[in-house]
């Protein structure tokens, strides 16, 4: 069983829909990251969380430390949001990240 | 303010050749991380370096792979005698200090896509 599990693996939505991507982890963490990767592209860091909630534009990330769960929400989705969204955790004093396998999002017109 | 720069973006090698991947961290960053993304798989940690020191190489294959981050110049990930299974995207990330002691995220480069013929 992976330390970081994401769901769903694939997600198709129509433009304007509200999207939720989930991440569960099985270890104690010091921080959780949400990353975005476009096909053939680089990786962009969207959020780093250790508690509570963060918002940036149409993106919202939440984390529940007790339940070992985080969600990434996209409001008013747009085709340019189509990408792979990756959850990654940092455990204890380690600096390295452990990644989920990603959620492939496609937003259609 | 340039981000993390990786080169080349694409690298093609024949089996048995050497591959050298370069990563220049963001200005002011002295910590570098290398990650590998195999086709249709998630990212996996390889190695974490500070200037002139390897801090954690627990994700690095024991043979053929090495990494360095010299006092001057970029970090280099070197793969000797490449095999087909080395085909992957290799990403570098950097941070200004050890991330576990700060709220600083890692900043990623665009990756090097390595293809082995």
């Amino acid at each position: 069983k992976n330390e970081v599990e994401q769901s769903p693996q694939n997600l198709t939505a129509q433009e304007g829909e509200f999207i939720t991507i989930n991440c569960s982890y099985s270890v104690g963490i010091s921080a959780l990251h949400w990353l975005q990767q476009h096909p053939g592209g680089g990786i962009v860091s969207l959020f780093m969380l250790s508690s509570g909630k963060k918002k940036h534009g149409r993106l919202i990330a939440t984390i529940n430390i007790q339940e070992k769960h985080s969600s990434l929400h996209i409001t008013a989705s747009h085709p340019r949001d189509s990408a792979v969204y990756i959850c990654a955790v940092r455990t204890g004093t380690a600096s390295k990240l452990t990644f989920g396998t990603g959620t492939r999002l496609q937003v259609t017109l | 303010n340039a981000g993390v720069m990786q080169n080349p973006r694409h690298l093609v090698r024949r089996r048995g050749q050497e591959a050298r991947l370069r990563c220049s961290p963001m200005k002011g960053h002295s910590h570098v991380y290398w990650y590998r993304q195999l086709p249709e798989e998630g990212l996996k940690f390889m190695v974490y370096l500070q200037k002139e020191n390897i801090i954690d190489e627990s994700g690095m294959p024991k043979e053929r792979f090495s990494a360095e981050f010299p006092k001057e110049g970029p970090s280099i990930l070197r793969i000797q005698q490449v095999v087909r299974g080395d085909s992957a995207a290799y990403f570098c990330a950097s941070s200004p200090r050890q991330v576990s002691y700060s709220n600083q995220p890692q900043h990623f480069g665009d990756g090097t896509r390595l293809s082995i013929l």
Side-chain angles (χ1 to χ4, degrees):
Chain A
K1 189 178 186 300
N2 291 334
E3 289 181 333
V4 183
E5 298 276 356
Q6 283 186 240
S7 63
Q9 281 191 301
N10 295 283
L11 182 56
T12 300
Q14 284 199 312
E15 185 178 11
E17 284 187 17
F18 180 84
I19 288 161
T20 296
I21 299 170
N22 296 298
C23 175
S24 297
Y25 51 92
S26 57
V27 295
I29 67 167
S30 54
L32 182 143
H33 296 249
W34 280 103
L35 309 168
Q36 181 193 55
Q37 184 178 25
H38 281 100
I43 295 170
V44 175
S45 180
L46 299 174
F47 295 104
M48 187 180 75
L49 295 161
S50 53
S51 64
K53 176 179 173 178
K54 286 190 176 180
K55 184 175 189 293
H56 182 69
R58 295 181 295 105
L59 301 179
I60 303 166
T62 64
I63 188 168
N64 184 320
I65 297 292
Q66 286 74 30
E67 297 195 358
K68 293 187 167 64
H69 181 269
S70 175
S71 292
L72 176 69
H73 305 286
I74 305 175
T75 61
S77 59
H78 190 276
R80 65 174 173 266
D81 297 326
S82 298
V84 176
Y85 292 84
I86 303 167
C87 172
V89 301
R90 199 175 77 217
T91 56
T93 57
S95 293
K96 65 187 181 187
L97 296 175
T98 301
F99 300 85
T101 51
T103 294
R104 190 176 302 272
L105 171 66
Q106 185 171 5
V107 182
T108 59
L109 291 168
Chain B
N1 188 16
V4 178
M5 303 299 291
Q6 288 189 248
N7 68 80
R9 287 294 305 276
H10 301 274
L11 181 60
V12 180
R13 285 287 178 267
R14 296 189 182 279
R15 281 178 294 172
Q17 291 184 320
E18 178 180 287
R20 291 171 71 88
L21 287 61
R22 294 173 186 78
C23 169
S24 295
M26 283 181 71
K27 188 176 179 181
H29 286 196
S30 57
H31 297 244
V32 164
Y33 313 80
W34 285 95
Y35 299 96
R36 178 166 68 173
Q37 187 176 40
L38 292 167
E40 303 305 319
E41 291 190 24
L43 288 148
K44 297 279 196 299
F45 168 78
M46 297 183 76
V47 62
Y48 162 39
L49 310 103
Q50 293 177 33
K51 286 279 187 183
E52 300 184 279
N53 286 304
I54 295 175
I55 306 302
D56 181 352
E57 56 182 347
S58 58
M60 192 92 102
K62 294 286 184 279
E63 296 177 354
R64 303 188 296 107
F65 285 71
S66 62
E68 63 176 6
F69 188 17
K71 188 176 179 182
E72 301 290 338
S75 175
I76 307 284
L77 180 67
R78 183 181 176 209
I79 311 172
Q80 294 179 289
Q81 298 175 337
V82 296
V83 301
R84 288 253 170 87
D86 297 332
S87 295
Y90 292 82
F91 288 92
C92 168
S94 72
S95 68
R97 61 186 66 83
Q98 188 173 352
V99 293
S100 60
Y101 296 120
S102 76
N103 287 323
Q104 295 292 328
Q106 296 179 20
H107 297 262
F108 285 81
D110 286 341
T112 293
R113 270 79 184 167
L114 175 64
S115 298
I116 309 302
L117 301 179

